[in-house]
Amino acid sequence: MTDVPRLPPPAPAPAPAPADGLRGHCAALRSHAHRLRAGAAALEWRGPQADAFRAEVAALADRCARAADGFALAAAQLDGVHGGVHGGVTARGTAAGRSRGRPLR
């Protein structure tokens, strides 16, 4: 019996860049916001309780959209740090940033 050479195991796929993961979360949150708004608009229930329910759903959709904006901003900032461009994002000076000796831009 002859020995058959074994092939090396396949190389693992490279991990996605952190900014790509943030963009994925951003897209998912925007999709959730869209579906929440569409569902509330299609609701046939009427009355004060329905209006209150729609307001709560609208508030939740707004929170999803704001979180998506935050993820998009963070991804753009990561691209600026790692890619050498800022993608239209301006740096913000904060007390925490100044305490670490970073100058305001």
Side-chain angles (χ1 to χ4, degrees), residues 22-81:
L22 290 172
R23 279 188 279 278
H25 289 303
C26 176
L29 283 166
R30 290 195 197 287
S31 175
H32 290 318
H34 176 74
R35 286 186 316 206
L36 284 165
R37 288 186 179 111
L43 189 64
E44 294 182 15
W45 182 25
R46 301 287 176 234
Q49 291 176 334
D51 293 339
F53 179 77
R54 281 187 191 87
E56 288 295 323
V57 172
L60 181 58
D62 289 344
R63 288 176 63 193
C64 288
R66 275 194 306 277
D69 291 344
F71 281 130
L73 177 62
Q77 288 173 338
L78 282 173
D79 287 340
V81 169

